[in-house]
Amino acid sequence: MTALSYLVIIFGYLALLLFIFGIIYRAWRWSRLPQGFSWGLFPKPTRWVVTSMLWKILAWPTLFKADRLLWAGALFFHLGLLVLFAGHLGSFIDIASLGERIGIPSESSYVIGITAGTIVAITILFYISRRLFIRRSSEISVFADHFWLWVLLVVVLVGIYSRVFHEVSSDAVRDFALSVVAFNPALPPQNFWFLMHVLLSEFFIIYAVIGKPIHLVGQLFTQYILVSEEGS
Amino acid sequence: MKTDTENQADSQAKAVEEYEKTLERWFGEATKEDVQKVIDKLGEWEKLPYSKLVKLNLDLCSNCGACADECHIYKTLPRKEFNPVYRVKLLRSVYQKYFTWVGKVFGRFAGARKLDKELLKEWFVRFYQCNMCRRCNIFCPFGVDNMAIVRTGRLLINDVMGKTTEDMGRGVRYHLRDGNASEMSEAAFRNIVSFWEDEIKEVKGWDVKVPIDVVGAEMFLIPPNTDYFHSLETMEGIAATLYAANVSWTMSSKIFDSVNYGTFFNDEAWASIITQHIEEAKRLKCKTLVVGECGHATKSLMFLGPSLLGEFPFEVKNILQVTADLIQHDRIKLNKEANPETVTYHDPCNVTRMCGIMEEPRIILRAACMDFREMTPNRDRNYCCGGGGGVVLETASHDFRMEVTGKLKAEQMQRTGAKIVVTSCANCKVEISHLIDQYKLDMKWAGVHDMVLNALEL
């Protein structure tokens, strides 16, 4: 268990470092590339450039037109992730009292977390089945496309499992997380499933920076070029 | 006994195979040095004209395949190699292999591929099968753009090996030598101009004189070369319109061809040709350079030119914008009854999606025709005619265009029930005329200004 604990701590720092500097580096690389040819693609908004960009980034109207099922699946997936992300902030700050202030009782965090986790797991299965059974997607999928979906699925399932069957007190998690952030890492709660969940998440965070999840950031650049560039 | 569907599948497969063989023949064989040079060039992202979006595209495409069903080629023939993502991956796999550490470490597991002679040949074949219509971009949640990817691939091959497709390559050579892509002499130009004048006299009874080399005219008009031998009525309609509206305009006896095939595969040629256009416009001291009914030339002069060469000392417009403006300001009179038949409009990708000229042709056609009917889908969501990206320029691509890339357009045209399909791009006109013949459609094709010519009154 202790070896696992050390791995969690080491990869935790690595993930944090790569996540912050990796995203900055990639964004910097993209931003310094010359624009070259004007990328006119019409119709372009004549006003509300920022709003149209946000609309495209948050609501994916183009995907809605192309593939509604994928759009719906992706929407649930990302909303689920967003809820999980917010819930996991509880590892660092006391979100329970924050939630109560806006009318979410702290007891419901369990239900919300498990529901969001289940939704994400189901939508990952939907993604996987698309890659397996829908021809236009399966014929172009490579090992990496499947692999990371499975990794994320395992992260989520282990998370749900440890929450349901091996719950670690949120105070213990927060004590550990804050000690890591303070560069004075304490030993994490000694719970195998919890540690596996954290370690796999750390792997996924590292992948997120070098792999496809970077679209979260890259989107800003692409949509900015397409929406606002000279030529409108 | 084979069913119709089986027969159709057979002829599609044959058309694809034959054109692929032709493309492979045009490509020939790459050497090891060629392969290495392509890799080196790919590494110099900053120098590639579409660098920013292409790099973002390669980094962001998540292989979801949402674009596939929006591609008219894949929709017609759902083969893996026609999947737009497959085309992106041809370039991305190599990019990953040499320029990302994930690709370097995990290789094929991450989708990375070593570039070799065979893969380079496949690049050539696949990139010249794409119509570069950018419809996939419209539907991609990340804005991944096959046009940018394909052009980059074509450019890399052309820069290193000098290879492109046969007729397009010849067109560029002629253009650089003669100032036009079809070996037309000044005498031939003047002959055709007087033919236009005679025709207008015959049809309308007007003594129209096409102004040539008039320095200081307000508008300098350059039509595509097809208006000199394939769609003559279009240019007659334009000349008659400008005459009827009493516009100050001119053509040039030296630079009279708007096309710029460099747009499809080569930056240097593109820049040289566009410089010919710019220099002539400067010499003639025009206020507006007007591009005739030509899609890629409009894009090239309106957007690509200024973004790479700096702002021009004149404005660039497409003739559709000019005529729509004349109609809206009551400067020309049109009699709809001259065009009683049902008319539909094919939106050329370059005019519509890439230049945003969507309402102008509709303003013109509604004013000039009794019964204008939309094709579905239309405007920015239109399907390519099947000839885009320079594919229509190749005589050898005929069967491939008829059986695969243009099939959806033929069906779409037929569904409208219109008697005339109007469009505003020279390449689309050629492709649509072939489709009408091939599918024995009960309709004619025309340019927007062909309809204007019929309806125009003094």
Side-chain angles (χ1 to χ4, degrees):
Chain A
M1 197 75 89
T2 328
L4 193 58
S5 307
Y6 284 124
L7 275 179
V8 163
I9 294 168
I10 292 165
F11 276 98
Y13 280 120
L14 199 64
L16 200 70
L17 213 71
L18 279 174
F19 189 73
I20 294 169
F21 291 105
I23 285 180
I24 293 172
Y25 174 73
R26 295 201 73 173
W28 174 73
R29 284 287 301 268
W30 286 324
S31 67
R32 65 188 277 271
L33 276 171
Q35 186 70 57
F37 273 156
S38 163
W39 269 106
L41 189 72
F42 291 85
K44 278 180 191 291
T46 45
R47 295 186 301 157
W48 311 111
V49 170
V50 177
T51 328
S52 354
M53 233 180 96
L54 284 177
W55 173 246
K56 284 188 120 187
I57 290 169
L58 298 176
W60 325 315
T62 54
L63 183 60
F64 183 75
K65 283 178 228 155
D67 188 337
R68 285 191 192 180
L69 190 62
L70 178 58
W71 176 84
L75 190 73
F76 278 110
F77 172 75
H78 286 86
L79 283 178
L81 277 187
L82 198 69
V83 171
L84 290 182
F85 176 77
H88 281 71
L89 282 180
S91 309
F92 298 95
I93 52 170
D94 183 12
I95 58 159
S97 55
L98 211 69
E100 274 178 5
R101 242 190 268 167
I102 54 166
I104 305 171
S106 59
E107 303 83 59
S108 60
S109 86
Y110 181 84
V111 180
I112 294 173
I114 299 298
T115 312
T118 312
I119 288 174
V120 171
I122 291 171
T123 49
I124 294 173
L125 285 172
F126 161 72
Y127 279 162
I128 291 172
S129 54
R130 264 191 98 254
R131 293 219 179 268
L132 287 174
F133 305 117
I134 294 187
R135 191 178 150 185
R136 64 173 187 275
S137 185
S138 66
E139 67 192 7
I140 40 144
S141 295
V142 293
F143 174 81
D145 296 327
H146 288 279
F147 180 74
W148 289 106
L149 284 174
W150 285 103
V151 170
L152 191 60
L153 183 65
V154 173
V155 169
V156 175
L157 290 179
V158 170
I160 294 173
Y161 181 78
S162 70
R163 180 82 199 255
V164 175
F165 298 107
H166 301 275
E167 183 154 13
V168 180
S169 90
S170 58
D171 288 341
V173 175
R174 201 177 308 137
D175 285 347
F176 167 64
L178 290 176
S179 76
V180 170
V181 175
F183 295 105
N184 184 20
L187 212 59
Q190 295 299 293
N191 176 315
F192 175 76
W193 293 103
F194 166 76
L195 291 176
M196 280 312 288
H197 176 65
V198 179
L199 188 64
L200 285 169
S201 310
E202 289 165 355
F203 278 125
F204 193 80
I205 289 167
I206 294 171
Y207 161 71
V209 181
I210 55 171
K212 296 304 162 198
I214 195 72
H215 64 241
L216 205 69
V217 184
Q219 267 277 66
L220 291 167
F221 287 85
T222 314
Q223 296 303 347
Y224 181 74
I225 294 172
L226 291 173
V227 168
S228 70
E229 179 209 35
E230 178 62 28
S232 53
Chain B
M1 192 67 182
K2 283 189 172 178
T3 63
D4 282 354
T5 324
E6 283 168 344
N7 280 331
Q8 191 194 319
D10 284 353
S11 52
Q12 279 184 334
K14 192 166 162 253
V16 173
E17 195 188 333
E18 277 178 8
Y19 192 47
E20 283 180 0
K21 273 189 190 155
T22 308
L23 286 166
E24 284 180 9
R25 185 163 51 78
W26 285 337
F27 179 77
E29 292 300 328
T31 63
K32 269 188 176 173
E33 290 72 41
D34 293 332
V35 172
Q36 190 53 48
K37 278 185 199 163
V38 168
I39 297 168
D40 295 343
K41 262 193 153 344
L42 187 59
E44 298 169 352
W45 276 103
E46 288 73 8
K47 291 181 191 161
L48 294 172
Y50 283 154
S51 55
K52 196 167 200 162
L53 197 62
V54 172
K55 192 160 179 347
L56 279 158
N57 283 176
L58 298 185
D59 286 339
L60 301 187
C61 175
S62 59
N63 296 355
C64 75
C67 54
D69 274 356
E70 304 303 333
C71 167
H72 59 292
I73 303 179
Y74 188 81
K75 226 175 154 76
T76 306
L77 195 57
R79 286 187 181 183
K80 181 169 98 173
E81 54 274 22
F82 292 150
N83 193 320
V85 180
Y86 183 82
R87 237 177 267 122
V88 175
K89 282 174 66 176
L90 282 176
L91 192 65
R92 191 178 57 197
S93 54
V94 174
Y95 160 74
Q96 280 182 316
K97 173 78 190 167
Y98 299 98
F99 306 106
T100 69
W101 70 265
V102 180
K104 283 178 194 163
V105 175
F106 297 105
R108 272 202 174 251
F109 290 116
R113 263 175 96 178
K114 198 169 155 244
L115 184 66
D116 56 23
K117 294 182 217 173
E118 282 312 301
L119 184 55
L120 198 57
K121 188 183 271 183
E122 192 181 359
W123 273 24
F124 187 84
V125 174
R126 302 294 164 227
F127 292 155
Y128 278 100
Q129 280 173 330
C130 174
N131 284 135
M132 301 167 86
C133 75
R134 298 186 86 184
R135 195 171 193 269
C136 49
N137 186 328
I138 294 272
F139 293 95
C140 173
F142 306 132
V144 176
D145 194 329
N146 257 238
M147 189 270 267
I149 303 281
V150 162
R151 192 182 185 279
T152 302
R154 289 182 181 187
L155 184 111
L156 290 168
I157 294 174
N158 190 260
D159 270 7
V160 170
M161 302 175 65
K163 304 279 185 186
T164 184
T165 48
E166 196 169 69
D167 296 340
M168 193 150 66
R170 191 184 307 126
V172 165
R173 281 200 301 281
Y174 290 162
H175 215 135
L176 295 173
R177 190 189 67 194
D178 306 332
N180 68 81
S182 45
E183 282 194 300
M184 228 166 88
S185 63
E186 185 183 332
F189 163 75
R190 288 186 187 273
N191 261 335
I192 297 172
V193 169
S194 57
F195 179 79
W196 293 338
E197 292 166 347
D198 294 346
E199 285 280 294
I200 299 171
K201 175 78 181 168
E202 201 180 309
V203 180
K204 310 301 284 187
W206 305 341
D207 287 312
V208 174
K209 197 86 196 121
V210 172
I212 297 175
D213 295 333
V214 179
V215 176
E218 205 173 300
M219 293 181 190
F220 164 37
L221 181 91
I222 324 183
N225 60 29
T226 36
D227 283 13
Y228 298 96
F229 49 83
H230 185 252
S231 35
L232 294 126
E233 290 86 352
T234 302
M235 203 34 235
E236 290 160 18
I238 293 173
T241 303
L242 298 177
Y243 168 81
N246 201 17
V247 170
S248 148
W249 70 292
T250 187
M251 290 187 74
S252 158
S253 61
K254 303 282 179 295
I255 302 297
F256 43 77
D257 182 4
S258 67
V259 308
N260 188 343
Y261 300 151
T263 311
F264 300 121
F265 70 95
N266 179 306
D267 280 344
E268 268 176 48
W270 168 81
S272 303
I273 293 168
I274 205 170
T275 307
Q276 292 178 356
H277 296 144
I278 297 166
E279 290 307 317
E280 190 64 358
K282 282 185 189 163
R283 187 184 74 79
L284 293 169
K285 297 190 169 57
C286 67
K287 285 199 188 102
T288 312
L289 189 159
V290 180
V291 185
E293 292 192 12
C294 181
H296 78 276
T298 308
K299 174 180 76 172
S300 177
L301 278 155
M302 213 179 254
F303 297 118
L304 307 189
S307 69
L308 271 203
L309 305 173
E311 285 301 314
F312 300 159
F314 47 82
E315 194 186 12
V316 178
K317 277 189 177 171
N318 180 282
I319 189 66
L320 297 174
Q321 295 170 305
V322 174
T323 304
D325 194 56
L326 294 174
I327 291 171
Q328 285 178 317
H329 287 91
D330 292 325
R331 287 184 59 189
I332 50 172
K333 219 170 110 191
L334 297 171
N335 176 14
K336 284 181 180 198
E337 282 166 17
N339 290 314
E341 289 171 302
T342 308
V343 166
T344 188
Y345 180 67
H346 159 70
D347 282 283
C349 307
N350 274 313
V351 173
T352 307
R353 235 184 326 267
M354 293 170 231
C355 293
I357 303 170
M358 294 183 209
E359 298 314 317
E360 290 84 346
R362 290 170 169 83
I363 290 168
I364 300 169
L365 291 175
R366 288 206 177 96
C369 307
M370 295 273 279
D371 183 10
F372 170 69
R373 206 175 281 179
E374 287 287 3
M375 221 178 256
T376 320
N378 57 58
R379 292 181 172 82
D380 56 308
R381 298 198 202 164
N382 76 319
Y383 287 113
C384 170
C385 62
V391 178
V392 73
L393 302 172
E394 305 307 322
T395 319
S397 71
H398 179 271
D399 292 355
F400 176 63
R401 286 185 282 115
M402 295 302 106
E403 298 287 347
V404 184
T405 59
K407 191 166 177 289
L408 207 61
K409 182 53 66 178
E411 292 164 2
Q412 205 189 3
M413 288 178 351
Q414 193 168 27
R415 270 202 307 277
T416 62
K419 291 290 169 204
I420 305 173
V421 178
V422 176
T423 190
S424 56
C425 163
N427 285 348
C428 298
K429 283 174 198 168
V430 174
E431 172 72 0
I432 284 172
S433 67
H434 290 176
L435 286 173
I436 289 174
D437 289 345
Q438 174 80 13
Y439 289 92
K440 300 185 175 56
L441 302 178
D442 179 25
M443 46 175 48
K444 291 182 289 187
W445 62 273
V448 175
H449 284 82
D450 304 27
M451 310 314 287
V452 176
L453 180 67
N454 296 341
L456 207 55
E457 287 182 350
L458 281 182

